[in-house]
Amino acid sequence: MTSAVRIGNCSGFYGDRLSAMREMLEGGELDYLTGDYLAELTMLILGRDRMKNPGGGYAKTFLRQLEDCLGLAQDKGVRIVSNAGGLNPAGLADAVRALAGELGLDVRVAHVEGDDLLSRAPELGFGDVLTANAYLGAWGIVDCLNSGADVVVTGRVTDASVIVGPAAAHFGWQRTDYDKLAGAVIAGHVIECGIQASGGNYAFFTEVDDLTHPSFPLAELHDDGSAVITKHPGTGGEVSVGTVTSQLLYEITDGRYANPDVTARMDSVTLTQQGPDRVAITGARGEPPPPTLKVSLNSIGGFRNTVTFVLTGLDIEAKAQLVRRQLEAAVTVRPAEMQWTLARTDHPDADTQEAASALLHCTVRDPDPAKVGRRFTSAGVELALASYPGFHVTAPPGDGQVYGVFRPGYVDAVAVPHVAVHADGTRTDIAAAEDTLALAPVDEPSLPAPLPGGPTRRLPLGTIAGARSGDKGGNANVGVWVRTEEQWRWLAHTLTVDAFRELLPETAQLNVTRHQLPRLYALNFVIEGILGAGVAYAARFDPQAKGLGEWLRARHVDIPERLLP
């Protein structure tokens, strides 16, 4: 087949809009509909679900969507591919078959398995963990689709793989068609997070006409690996070079984006606005994949609790020092970790009490729930009449909660089974890639010519720059982009690592690396360790670093007047 294949998305995370599957099926023509339900935190959630119910471990909302839409998808000839199987793709496949039977539908359901390495975690050197799942690629999905499956559910495949699989099956791509596969990976990376490609969480959101109910995106993929990102006509949101750039920068490192089937060169692509809500992605180049697969490892780290003190008015620092001394003296059995954070949310001469108040958080962690339980929070509340003036806390005494720890692992791809299980129960082993290339840093391109001098104005960086930030384990990335060649020349010379650290003081003592993506007029910064042991560890009040880019945009810099809109 040579005509474009239309692949839509109806989920960017476990908990996304429930009506999206029906909206995408009814909104226009599609060949495939995909959904991404898994994230590092989701695997922990599903792991705890499996502890309570060995038959669980998959995204239940996917079944609710199918109950409403499976017949509609079949009527329209749309095939569904999703990683909603989580830790139990076989269980989800059985549940989909049972649902189809209840609905009186003849649906061929296949699944992909082999990613779950929990039983082998000790021998692979991963230790005692709750979940251990390798990121598989797209070829198991391809095999299921080529064997006639209407619905394919997987466990932990890479987010882009649910898009790469349908494209490779549609066009009959081979495993060494690296440029084509890279184009599909990049298009998949754009749409797998759902509405983030069509105006959601967009830095310049005030420029989008209608974000009341934005649409999910779709990709029109061509046999050469090029793609057009768009959305159904007449729907809310916007697909622009800006929204696509923003999503391309999400949760990446440098110009190489490794997947199990291909390493896509993010620094190779060109974006072109073809028309309203149509952005072409061309020029993608691919390289052989690395010989190892990343493994998502989650474990129970212990128990966590927090007391938040409200400090109002004058002498905020002194009040914080007093209550800290008092609480540390009162907690005679010390937990393993005791972390204090003072958020100076107060304003001088404030016109409301809330605006006059700062928040002092004390977070404790320990393997023993007794050390961080009600005894700890009660010790904070007992200071109510004996501490700083205006003392109050944000919550009554409470018990500690379990927290998780994420870390990545790596394993030789040949050591991981990858199995396509067809609707009739037959099984196909999917071989690991034979042609591999160890991942290496990209050579940084030369800096563009500096901008000539001239008058400047001190304004927020976000006056001309967009940003998108997110989490990868304990690290975070902040992608920053501008919209013209002149703005790029200024940004590349101005926003150095030192300048980044100065603008975001919380990163000053951390390892920060900068990567240029000139074709996108973008820089990507990776901050190591800012999120501690991952999202569930909650090292920061923004544990997924979602607002880190917006903080950067709000910081003031000297911007040449010639660059201002």
Side-chain angles (χ1 to χ4, degrees):
M1 295 184 180
T2 56
S3 61
V5 60
R6 290 170 62 87
I7 304 173
N9 170 279
C10 68
S11 177
F13 70 102
Y14 189 13
D16 212 339
R17 186 193 298 168
L18 202 61
S19 61
M21 184 177 287
R22 175 166 287 276
E23 291 170 12
M24 290 301 289
L25 289 169
E26 291 182 337
E29 294 302 312
L30 291 175
D31 298 298
Y32 295 90
L33 185 57
T34 65
D36 175 22
Y37 293 78
L38 303 183
E40 292 167 357
L41 179 61
T42 313
M43 302 304 282
L44 175 69
I45 294 168
L46 295 178
R48 296 189 65 191
D49 179 43
R50 186 171 62 179
M51 288 175 65
K52 300 173 186 175
N53 173 20
Y58 54 77
K60 299 181 181 68
T61 52
F62 177 71
L63 272 180
R64 292 174 60 190
Q65 290 174 305
L66 287 185
E67 184 176 9
D68 178 49
C69 298
L70 190 55
L72 176 61
Q74 193 172 47
D75 290 343
K76 295 177 74 71
V78 177
R79 303 166 82 179
I80 295 172
V81 179
S82 172
N83 62 13
L87 301 180
N88 188 6
L92 178 57
D94 286 342
V96 175
R97 292 186 190 100
L99 174 63
E102 294 170 6
L103 297 174
L105 301 173
D106 182 16
V107 178
R108 291 163 296 185
V109 183
H111 75 273
V112 177
E113 64 184 28
D115 61 293
D116 195 338
L117 305 178
L118 183 61
S119 64
R120 297 169 57 199
E123 73 176 80
L124 293 172
F126 299 145
D128 183 16
V129 292
L130 178 65
T131 69
N133 295 81
Y135 288 76
L136 300 180
W139 293 105
I141 297 170
V142 173
D143 193 72
C144 290
L145 293 172
N146 285 342
S147 298
D150 302 305
V151 177
V152 181
V153 294
T154 76
R156 179 71 275 188
V157 298
T158 66
D159 300 342
S161 290
V162 296
I163 292 92
V164 178
H170 181 84
F171 294 116
W173 291 341
Q174 301 303 304
R175 297 189 68 150
T176 55
D177 288 332
Y178 294 129
D179 290 349
K180 297 177 180 183
L181 293 168
V185 164
I186 290 169
H189 178 63
V190 171
I191 72 168
E192 54 90 0
C193 266
I195 299 172
Q196 285 193 163
S198 46
N201 301 354
Y202 181 47
F204 300 109
F205 72 97
T206 57
E207 299 176 7
V208 181
D209 287 339
D210 182 11
L211 272 177
T212 304
H213 193 82
S215 172
F216 279 72
L218 63 96
E220 297 173 356
L221 272 153
H222 297 267
D223 186 33
D224 63 356
S226 64
V228 173
I229 307 300
T230 184
K231 63 185 183 69
H232 286 323
T235 56
E238 173 184 285
V239 178
S240 67
V241 168
T243 66
V244 173
T245 298
S246 180
Q247 180 55 26
L248 279 174
L249 296 173
Y250 187 55
E251 296 181 346
I252 64 168
T253 53
D254 61 6
R256 284 191 168 97
Y257 187 60
N259 265 246
D261 306 315
V262 63
T263 294
R265 291 298 297 259
M266 302 294 286
D267 54 358
S268 66
V269 299
T270 298
L271 304 181
T272 307
Q273 193 80 44
Q274 281 194 340
D277 296 316
R278 292 184 64 82
V279 174
I281 304 177
T282 56
R285 290 190 294 113
E287 300 168 345
T292 58
L293 299 181
K294 183 179 176 180
V295 183
S296 172
L297 301 170
N298 282 286
S299 56
I300 300 299
F303 297 82
R304 179 183 62 225
N305 211 337
T306 298
V307 175
T308 297
F309 302 92
V310 183
L311 315 175
T312 305
L314 305 176
D315 305 319
I316 295 295
E317 298 285 347
K319 289 172 179 174
Q321 291 173 10
L322 172 60
V323 75
R324 178 170 179 169
R325 288 198 310 270
Q326 291 178 314
L327 184 59
E328 289 184 352
V331 178
T332 54
V333 181
R334 294 296 292 268
E337 297 180 52
M338 197 169 195
Q339 176 183 345
W340 291 89
T341 306
L342 176 59
R344 292 301 302 264
T345 51
D346 54 303
H347 300 268
D349 194 23
D351 58 356
T352 68
Q353 182 176 336
E354 187 171 3
S357 299
L359 299 176
L360 177 65
H361 309 283
C362 181
T363 298
V364 291
R365 300 180 184 88
D366 199 277
D368 182 356
K371 292 184 180 180
V372 299
R374 194 170 295 266
R375 181 195 308 171
F376 162 72
T377 50
S378 294
V381 173
E382 287 171 3
L383 299 172
L385 305 183
S387 191
Y388 60 87
F391 180 106
H392 62 286
V393 295
T394 58
D399 295 324
Q401 301 295 320
V402 171
Y403 72 90
V405 171
F406 170 87
R407 59 186 171 92
Y410 294 90
V411 63
D412 286 342
V414 295
V416 179
H418 185 174
V419 183
V421 184
H422 304 296
D424 62 0
T426 59
R427 302 167 66 87
T428 304
D429 291 328
I430 307 299
E434 294 181 3
D435 185 19
T436 62
L437 181 66
L439 199 63
V442 171
D443 292 333
E444 281 292 294
S446 300
L447 286 169
L451 203 65
T456 63
R457 292 175 59 188
R458 193 154 186 84
L459 293 167
L461 176 63
T463 305
I464 64 169
R468 169 66 61 77
S469 58
D471 63 291
K472 274 295 181 185
N475 301 341
N477 91 293
V478 182
V480 185
W481 82 96
V482 288
R483 299 193 270 195
T484 70
E485 191 270 341
E486 274 202 327
Q487 290 175 346
W488 164 242
R489 289 166 61 188
W490 171 80
L491 182 73
H493 285 275
T494 302
L495 195 56
T496 62
V497 169
D498 287 342
F500 182 90
R501 286 194 175 113
E502 185 176 344
L503 293 171
L504 301 186
E506 291 180 18
T507 70
Q509 303 304 315
L510 301 173
N511 187 40
V512 177
T513 54
R514 186 183 96 148
H515 308 283
Q516 295 183 62
L517 295 165
R519 291 177 182 268
L520 301 176
Y521 296 155
L523 300 171
N524 188 49
F525 294 87
V526 178
I527 309 109
E528 297 180 19
I530 192 170
L531 303 180
V535 173
Y537 183 77
R540 305 178 73 248
F541 85 104
D542 176 16
Q544 290 181 288
K546 298 298 187 184
L548 202 58
E550 286 301 294
W551 178 27
L552 179 66
R553 294 183 69 237
R555 297 308 307 269
H556 287 220
V557 296
D558 294 322
I559 302 176
E561 289 185 355
R562 64 188 292 170
L563 303 181
L564 296 175

